[in-house]
Amino acid sequence: MTDRIQHFLLVFDHQAGSLIQTREYGEDADAAIAAYAATEAEFGDRKDIEVVLIGSDSFETVKRTHANYFDGSVSVSKYLAGI
Amino acid sequence: MSVSPEEHERALAVLLAHRAAHRLPLTKATMGLRSVVKTEHCVVEVSQRLKRVPTIIEKLTVREPTMQLANMQDIGGCRAVLDSIDEVRRVQRRLSKNRPPLRVSDYISESRRSGYRGVHVVVQYDGRPIEVQLRTQVMHEWAITVERLGGRLGEDLKSGYGPPEVLDLLGGISEVMAIEEQGGVVPTEALTRLSSLREAALPFLGGGHR
């Protein structure tokens, strides 16, 4: 089966509230998984840093399905405003 | 129990190999989910992820210490964000018809204690369990806000850990969002209560929205 998933490695800094790295691996899932493990090891026990590997058809979709790593990509309910 | 560096390294290698073995089954599940979402004429917003090492270790050691790595059903997960509960149910039905699920967790009928809502369906591809999460946009907004806030506070709020004031507020917000999503009118008392919960939680929210 063809792997038509595009792989994106995100490194999110929870203290800064922003992404500090975004790496694209295209359809090369093996390279993406190897980089995922290496980057997790690099940040070790840093609880404020989250490394995550997400696959989707496009980066635009990732911005919506994993909007917690991005600013302003989803409309937020009035009840959640200011949180 | 003390673990030598060699044992730790060996265990980590096993964990990484186990995670990597979910790659192809996960891709198949994601493609299957995309196809079902498309067949139901819904907007296709589908992504996949392999669980993070720290989360896997925390689950095995702190959250569910009797769990074994081989039995974890959410090493590979994919997610569809849909427009309505009706869409979630249609996609859920079609998924279950295509491939009998190993497990269904319906957090729409009964939300998690944290207030988390959505449907999780565990399906098997190539002998590996893959968790499929179905959410509406409304449920998704709540969940991503909670994930982001949890990260900021260093607490697993979604699993019910953290300051009770914050958990109560998030639970209260989930309740009113659920009422509105299902076409109901939020009672005035609930809005008043939410206002008090917000006041109480403010000092714990870690600096407000970024």
Side-chain angles (χ1 to χ4, degrees):
Chain A
M1 191 186 74
T2 313
D3 182 351
R4 289 210 186 87
I5 303 284
Q6 310 287 315
H7 299 274
F8 303 93
L9 186 72
L10 309 180
V11 181
F12 189 84
D13 180 336
H14 281 287
Q15 287 313 309
S18 61
L19 280 170
I20 53 173
Q21 283 183 40
T22 304
R23 282 187 259 158
E24 299 185 15
Y25 292 88
E27 293 181 22
D28 192 347
D30 291 332
I33 290 179
Y36 189 19
T39 312
E40 282 184 315
E42 184 189 329
F43 287 100
D45 292 333
R46 291 274 305 274
K47 289 203 165 186
D48 52 332
I49 301 289
E50 187 172 337
V51 181
V52 64
L53 178 65
I54 303 171
S56 194
D57 60 329
S58 70
F59 195 51
E60 287 312 304
T61 305
V62 172
K63 281 181 172 176
R64 296 187 63 81
T65 57
H66 290 78
N68 45 311
Y69 303 117
F70 303 90
D71 272 329
S73 43
V74 288
S75 55
V76 171
S77 155
K78 61 181 183 282
Y79 298 112
L80 296 167
I83 289 178
Chain B
M1 186 176 66
S2 68
V3 176
S4 72
E6 293 76 21
E7 283 172 319
H8 183 268
E9 203 171 309
R10 232 177 9 247
L12 185 60
V14 169
L15 192 160
L16 291 174
H18 184 67
R19 183 173 72 174
H22 286 74
R23 200 230 354 132
L24 199 52
L26 173 59
T27 298
K28 288 181 181 175
T30 304
M31 292 303 193
L33 177 60
R34 286 183 62 84
S35 163
V36 165
V37 169
K38 215 182 269 182
T39 306
E40 287 296 333
H41 307 292
C42 309
V43 175
V44 183
E45 286 190 351
V46 174
S47 289
Q48 65 178 45
R49 67 100 185 93
L50 287 170
K51 209 172 188 68
R52 301 162 53 226
V53 165
T55 316
I56 296 173
I57 293 175
E58 197 202 353
K59 190 163 183 174
L60 294 173
T61 55
V62 181
R63 275 198 276 157
E64 296 184 44
T66 55
M67 165 84 73
Q68 292 189 329
L69 178 65
N71 295 334
M72 283 182 75
Q73 295 188 323
D74 59 349
I75 301 268
C78 51
R79 167 185 298 167
V81 180
L82 300 157
D83 273 344
S84 63
I85 294 176
D86 173 61
E87 285 193 0
V88 167
R89 294 307 186 196
R90 276 163 37 212
V91 168
Q92 180 188 352
R93 268 197 302 276
R94 194 172 284 265
L95 272 181
S96 305
K97 201 170 146 197
N98 288 356
R99 196 171 283 257
L102 296 178
R103 183 169 59 87
V104 176
S105 302
D106 185 347
Y107 303 120
I108 293 180
S109 296
E110 192 168 349
S111 65
R112 275 187 175 159
R113 276 188 64 191
S114 62
Y116 176 82
R117 297 190 303 134
V119 173
H120 293 185
V121 180
V122 177
V123 288
Q124 201 159 306
Y125 281 83
D126 300 339
R128 304 274 181 194
I130 302 293
E131 184 182 82
V132 180
Q133 295 183 357
L134 307 175
R135 297 173 173 175
T136 63
Q137 191 65 44
V138 171
M139 295 167 196
H140 184 54
E141 285 184 13
W142 182 92
I144 59 172
T145 304
V146 172
E147 272 164 24
R148 194 165 178 137
L149 179 61
R152 202 164 74 211
L153 301 183
E155 303 274 11
D156 186 1
L157 298 170
K158 219 169 57 178
S159 300
Y161 298 99
E165 291 83 355
V166 173
L167 295 171
D168 288 347
L169 172 64
L170 296 171
I173 290 175
S174 175
E175 266 174 48
V176 297
M177 287 175 78
I179 292 172
E180 285 190 350
E181 182 169 36
Q182 288 165 90
V185 175
V186 180
T188 314
E189 305 85 73
L191 291 175
T192 311
R193 183 171 161 264
L194 206 53
S195 196
S196 320
L197 289 174
R198 187 178 284 269
E199 275 302 306
L202 267 180
F204 301 93
L205 292 178
H209 192 63
R210 285 173 192 273

